[in-house]
């Protein structure tokens, strides 16, 4: 099965003509790396950072095309069996050789209960060592897109992991001390030498990385410092204290673009921001309504949807740097439903729907929101609080740093939220990823892992299973369109918008800005 080329490209700033002396890059983001455990948190910034330290069997280029990583090549040897030929000569940072045992170990580890990335091997039923450099993956059903998101399924050293008590992934839902959360031993181009959570993480060039002959970068060291305050982060860039900020506040984009010595890099991102509801509990955890769950009623969910003025959010909160969406996926994602239209903004209709559902005076509920993960995330939530208040839904905003937010909404023992804001970029750039992670009924084995509200529609479940194995692209797109239409009619979620990428960078730095917002240092040249 061959998929069309993605409708996105990486922005290459500079010619990437080759090294010009070893350099240090000082960079910042609004939040910290969630964990150094590569199987601990399915979050873009964390996985992007770790993609400089660990590697998958595949990798993605500047244009997001799939290429060889720790596997040099692969083939489908039966309809349900893939064979991967591993890279000979690759070594972990401590000098240990990479081989098939590490792949088998990493396959078992990523599917352990505490892993947040079980979906990477969702249909794999057996991993077989053919020899030291050949591994077969047997799937439960034919899976033509098996490796589409394997660039972020990172391979760990079996011996190192077991020697340091890191056989189990860190549980991001119930954080505890874990060696792999603070130390790394990957095969990638950089290795972490210092980890101070929420303060500083330092990585240095791994000179023995197998891929340097094909990589143009000249960085010797990368110093990452999370800075939550927007003004402080921008000031550090303008003063020269930082070389790069990966979260340039949209209100400062024009200012940075006009300032000599720095530039603003902007472009579309494949991430959709949306609201979700607890639709599984009989009584909401955080609401004034007792004995029942208002969000189980479609009329209430539609009232929330129609109370939100998405154009006002796009214009005033996002300053035009967002595209309102009717779906949970962005243009450029395989299966994007171009014909889907948002429910109209209509506060009067929202009030009528609430009255029909038995809430003429509205009700109170808590909205969980990160304040350092997405572009203007807290400001978006504040605007939504005000808009819902106008139709009688009194929202208490619980905005927290992303480490606390994810630990809460993904809490062990049950998803600890009644109403939440989340963002998603499908790791495979395919609709199946979003449907499988966000929409299908939770099964405790990886399906619906980020379906925080417990939405369930048996027809969408069946469609998602069929989408995974369908090789006729036209028919597959029809199945995807049906699934998105059903979700839309159910008002299972409230899609908000696709946010825009905005980075700030000093002159003299050449890099690649990919539409998935992952930043790989091996392509960076600092003059």
């Amino acid at each position: 099965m061959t998929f069309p080329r993605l409708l996105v490209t990486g922005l290459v700033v500079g010619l990437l003509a080759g090294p010009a002396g070893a350099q240090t890059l000082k960079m910042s983001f609004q939040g910290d790396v969630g964990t150094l455990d590569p199987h601990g948190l399915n979050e873009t910034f964390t996985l992007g950072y770790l993609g400089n330290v660990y590697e998958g069997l595949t990798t993605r280029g500047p244009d997001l095309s799939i290429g060889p990583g720790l596997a040099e090549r692969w083939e489908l040897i039966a309809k349900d069996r893939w064979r991967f030929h591993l890279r000979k000569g690759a070594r972990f940072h401590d000098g240990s050789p990479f081989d098939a045992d590490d792949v088998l170990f990493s396959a078992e580890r990523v599917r352990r209960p505490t892993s947040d990335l079980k979906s990477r091997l969702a249909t794999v039923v057996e991993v077989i060592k053919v020899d030291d450099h050949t591994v077969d993956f047997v799937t439960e059903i034919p899976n033509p897109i098996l490796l589409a998101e394997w660039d972020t399924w990172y391979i760990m050293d079996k011996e190192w992991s077991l020697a340091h008590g890191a056989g189990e992934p860190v549980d991001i839902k119930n954080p505890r001390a874990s060696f792999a959360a603070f130390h790394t031993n990957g095969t990638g181009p950089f290795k972490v030498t210092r980890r101070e959570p929420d303060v500083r993480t330092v990585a240095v060039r791994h000179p023995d990385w197998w891929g340097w002959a094909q990589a143009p970068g000249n960085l010797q060291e990368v110093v990452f410092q999370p800075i939550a305050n927007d003004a402080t982060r921008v000031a550090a860039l303008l003063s020269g204290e930082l070389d790069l900020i990966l979260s340039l506040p949209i209100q400062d984009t024009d200012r940075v673009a006009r300032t000599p010595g720095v530039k603003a890099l902007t472009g579309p991102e494949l991430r959709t921001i949306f609201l979700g509801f607890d639709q599984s509990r009989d009584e909401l955890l955080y609401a004034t309504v007792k004995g029942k769950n208002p969000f189980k009623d479609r009329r209430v969910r539609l009232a929330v949807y129609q109370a939100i003025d998405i154009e006002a959010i796009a214009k005033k909160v996002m300053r035009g740097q967002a595209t309102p969406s009717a779906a949970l996926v962005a243009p450029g994602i395989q299966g994007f439903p171009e014909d889907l239209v948002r429910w109209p903004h209509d506060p009067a209709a929202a009030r009528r729907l609430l009255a029909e559902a038995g809430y003429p005076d509205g009700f109170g509920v808590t909205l969980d929101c990160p304040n350092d993960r997405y572009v203007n995330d807290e400001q978006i939530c504040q605007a939504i609080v005000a808009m819902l208040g106008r139709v009688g839904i009194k929202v208490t905003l619980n905005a927290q740093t992303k480490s606390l937010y994810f630990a809460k909404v993904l809490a062990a023992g049950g998803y600890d939220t009644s109403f939440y804001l989340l963002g998603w970029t499908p790791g495979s750039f395919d609709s199946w990823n979003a449907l499988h992670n966000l929409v299908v009924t939770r099964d405790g084995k990886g399906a619906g892992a980020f379906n925080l509200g417990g939405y369930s529609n048996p027809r969408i479940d069946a469609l998602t299973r069929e989408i995974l194995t369908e090789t006729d692209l036209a028919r597959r797109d029809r199945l995807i369109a049906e699934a998105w239409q059903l979700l839309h009619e159910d008002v299972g979620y409230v899609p908000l918008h696709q946010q825009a990428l905005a980075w700030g960078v000093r002159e003299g730095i050449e890099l690649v800005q990919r539409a998935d917002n992952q930043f790989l240092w091996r392509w960076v040249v600092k003059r």
Side-chain angles (χ1 to χ4, degrees):
M1 177 179 181
T2 301
F3 284 90
R5 189 174 184 84
L6 286 168
L7 302 178
V8 293
T9 58
L11 174 61
V12 182
V13 182
L15 299 179
L16 295 181
Q23 300 285 356
T24 293
L25 181 79
K26 297 169 289 184
M27 59 176 280
S28 182
F29 185 64
Q30 60 192 13
D32 197 11
V33 180
T35 176
L36 295 187
D37 189 321
H39 304 149
L41 180 61
N42 189 9
E43 186 249 340
T44 300
F45 179 71
T46 295
L47 293 175
Y49 185 95
L50 292 176
N52 297 290
V53 179
Y54 288 96
E55 295 178 283
L57 297 182
T58 66
T59 189
R60 286 190 181 269
D63 63 353
L64 297 175
S65 59
I66 298 173
L70 285 175
E72 295 180 322
R73 59 188 177 89
W74 49 85
E75 69 256 9
L76 190 61
I77 62 174
K79 64 180 181 180
D80 59 352
R81 192 179 187 113
W82 291 76
R83 175 159 291 175
F84 284 77
H85 301 274
L86 306 183
R87 187 172 298 280
K88 297 178 181 178
R91 290 183 174 272
F92 291 94
H93 296 156
D94 66 357
S96 301
F98 158 71
D99 59 26
D101 289 334
D102 301 309
V103 176
L104 267 64
F105 167 76
S106 298
E108 179 182 359
R109 189 179 192 271
V110 81
R111 293 184 291 180
R112 299 294 295 167
T114 55
S115 169
D116 201 33
L117 286 93
K118 300 181 189 71
S119 64
R120 297 299 190 269
L121 275 69
T123 61
V124 173
V125 294
E126 191 175 7
V127 186
I128 300 169
K129 176 181 176 180
V130 179
D131 59 41
D132 283 347
H133 292 93
T134 310
V135 176
D136 284 359
F137 290 83
V138 181
T139 59
E140 181 180 8
I141 52 177
N143 181 355
I145 60 169
L146 177 74
L147 49 75
E149 52 188 303
W150 275 17
D151 59 305
T152 53
W153 167 43
Y154 299 130
I155 305 302
M156 297 182 71
D157 181 12
K158 176 181 179 180
E159 289 77 12
W160 178 87
S161 300
L162 296 179
H164 292 96
E168 298 278 338
V170 63
D171 188 354
I172 201 68
K173 309 174 188 68
N174 187 19
R176 57 177 175 77
S178 168
F179 190 83
F182 297 93
H183 304 83
T184 63
N185 184 35
T187 58
F190 291 83
K191 53 185 177 182
V192 173
T193 57
R194 180 177 181 180
R195 172 64 171 160
E196 299 176 69
D198 298 318
V199 178
R200 181 179 292 104
T201 304
V202 179
V204 300
R205 186 184 185 97
H206 177 48
D208 297 326
W209 180 51
W210 61 267
W212 279 123
Q214 294 81 41
N218 71 340
L219 296 182
Q220 185 69 23
E221 181 182 52
V222 178
V223 179
F224 167 64
Q225 179 182 1
I227 301 176
N229 183 272
D230 288 346
T232 303
R233 194 167 60 254
V234 172
L237 174 70
L238 298 180
S239 70
E241 181 182 344
L242 291 173
D243 299 307
L244 172 71
I245 58 176
L246 295 181
S247 47
L248 176 62
I250 52 180
Q251 62 268 22
D252 292 309
T253 302
D254 291 342
R255 174 189 172 201
V256 169
R258 293 193 304 265
T259 302
V262 294
K263 52 193 172 184
L265 307 181
T266 59
E269 186 179 4
L270 298 177
R271 182 182 309 281
T272 303
I273 307 299
F274 56 88
L275 296 175
F277 313 92
D278 178 353
Q279 300 171 60
S280 60
R281 292 183 175 90
D282 292 330
E283 179 180 310
L284 292 176
L285 295 176
Y286 305 102
T288 57
V289 178
K290 301 304 176 185
K292 57 182 176 177
N293 180 346
F295 292 143
K296 284 192 172 188
D297 192 319
R298 177 187 178 276
R299 293 171 296 185
V300 175
R301 301 195 299 271
L302 183 56
V304 171
Y305 198 130
Q306 295 199 266
I308 294 172
D309 186 345
I310 194 61
E311 296 295 340
I313 291 175
K315 181 179 179 179
K316 297 178 181 179
V317 180
M318 301 299 291
R319 298 175 183 250
Q321 299 298 308
T323 303
S325 179
L328 295 185
V329 292
I333 299 298
Q334 182 69 33
F336 171 72
E338 295 182 4
D339 297 332
L340 209 59
V341 179
R342 286 185 59 86
W343 294 102
H345 171 232
D346 191 339
R351 286 189 286 269
R352 287 196 300 271
L353 286 164
L354 287 172
E356 290 172 11
Y359 306 99
D361 299 319
F363 59 91
V365 67
T366 295
L367 172 62
D368 288 301
C369 182
N371 60 17
D372 61 355
R373 177 57 193 95
Y374 311 113
V375 177
N376 286 359
D377 41 17
E378 185 172 7
Q379 295 94 317
I380 294 168
C381 289
Q382 288 170 343
I384 289 170
V385 168
M387 292 170 182
L388 294 183
R390 295 185 191 116
V391 301
I393 301 176
K394 306 165 203 57
V395 179
T396 300
L397 179 58
N398 181 32
Q400 303 181 88
T401 185
K402 65 176 184 176
S403 59
L404 296 175
Y405 168 82
F406 282 115
K408 180 180 187 296
V409 300
L410 295 172
Y415 296 87
D416 186 14
T417 185
S418 295
F419 187 32
Y420 60 92
L421 178 135
L422 192 65
W424 194 262
T425 302
S428 60
F429 312 114
D430 184 89
S431 285
W432 178 85
N433 172 281
L435 289 166
H436 177 77
N437 283 282
L438 300 173
V439 182
V440 301
T441 304
R442 297 191 305 237
D443 68 358
K445 300 176 182 178
F450 279 79
N451 181 356
L452 309 184
Y455 172 80
S456 182
N457 182 316
R459 175 57 182 162
I460 295 180
D461 293 348
L463 286 167
T464 303
R465 289 191 295 270
E466 195 171 354
I467 287 163
L468 180 61
T469 60
E470 180 57 62
T471 58
D472 182 320
L473 276 178
R475 184 172 188 278
R476 187 176 190 271
D477 282 345
R478 290 195 296 271
L479 297 174
I480 292 172
E482 182 183 349
W484 288 133
Q485 184 66 43
L486 286 171
L487 182 68
H488 176 73
E489 294 295 334
D490 273 354
V491 197
Y493 286 91
V494 179
L496 297 176
H497 57 247
Q498 279 86 47
Q499 65 183 28
L501 281 176
W503 298 0
V505 61
R506 298 201 63 78
E507 295 286 351
I509 295 175
E510 301 165 359
L511 52 76
V512 174
Q513 185 184 49
R514 294 195 332 194
D516 63 349
N517 203 16
Q518 293 201 24
F519 175 48
L520 298 186
W521 312 333
R522 62 179 178 267
W523 295 326
V524 179
V525 173
K526 184 177 181 182
R527 304 295 182 184

